[in-house]
Amino acid sequence: MDDIARGMKVSKRTLYRLFSRKAALIRLCLSDIASEARDAFYRKGAPQCGG
């Protein structure tokens, strides 16, 4: 959490106000990454099955 707070230029206290647990922050990050990957996949066009 120290490194994350430093990278976001906020205090650890602020970070813990936003995310009470490290798992909540990780879950949000993974969800965001998955959403970006899904969007990129569909922008390129999903492959056609059997084609």
Side-chain angles (χ1 to χ4, degrees):
M1 294 299 270
D2 290 320
D3 292 337
I4 294 168
R6 194 175 311 112
M8 293 176 65
K9 294 182 171 62
V10 298
S11 69
K12 262 192 351 183
R13 182 180 209 152
T14 299
L15 192 58
Y16 275 110
R17 275 192 200 136
L18 296 170
F19 304 97
S20 60
R21 292 177 297 129
K22 196 184 304 186
L25 175 59
I26 292 169
R27 196 173 307 126
L28 178 67
C29 291
L30 290 175
S31 176
D32 190 51
I33 291 167
S35 181
E36 288 180 19
R38 184 177 48 250
D39 290 348
F41 176 78
Y42 284 113
R43 273 195 305 271
K44 290 183 179 179
Q48 300 297 316
C49 292

